[in-house]
Amino acid sequence: MVLRGCDDCTLQGLHITNVRRKPAGLLVEDCRRLNIDGCTILDCDNCGLLLRNVCHSRVSDCLVRDDRTESESLSIVVEGGEDNLLVDNQTHDPKPQ
């Protein structure tokens, strides 16, 4: 799923699973004043949630994990942007080798 160029939106209770060969399960790009709350993003290639150039937004109480054996996917990746709050999310990232 992709949100691009959005302002003043709320995503709540969204469930995404098993996204393959994409940058993320949920890609949020060039957005501002978003509230992403209580979402579940599981077992996605590359990363679960990618925030790219997102500003003045909040991600809270989400379950973002990839528990597949041998997976090296990251849970949440932030690229650019400013003034974001990520709080109380349940994540699991691979241990560095």
Side-chain angles (χ1 to χ4, degrees), residues 41-62:
I41 305 171
L42 301 172
D43 302 332
C44 298
D45 289 349
N46 300 308
C47 72
L49 173 60
L50 174 54
L51 301 175
R52 182 179 291 150
N53 300 321
V54 173
C55 299
H56 315 295
S57 297
R58 177 182 169 102
V59 178
S60 63
D61 300 306
C62 295

Side-chain angles (χ1 to χ4, degrees), residues 5-42:
C6 298
D7 293 344
D8 308 329
C9 296
T10 297
L11 291 179
Q12 188 171 34
L14 180 69
H15 189 110
I16 297 172
T17 188
N18 295 321
V19 174
R20 302 288 182 255
R21 297 176 298 279
K22 300 293 178 187
L26 175 58
L27 169 60
V28 181
E29 186 172 48
D30 299 324
C31 297
R32 66 185 197 100
R33 299 192 319 193
L34 301 183
N35 185 14
I36 301 173
D37 176 67
C39 296
T40 301
I41 305 171
L42 301 172

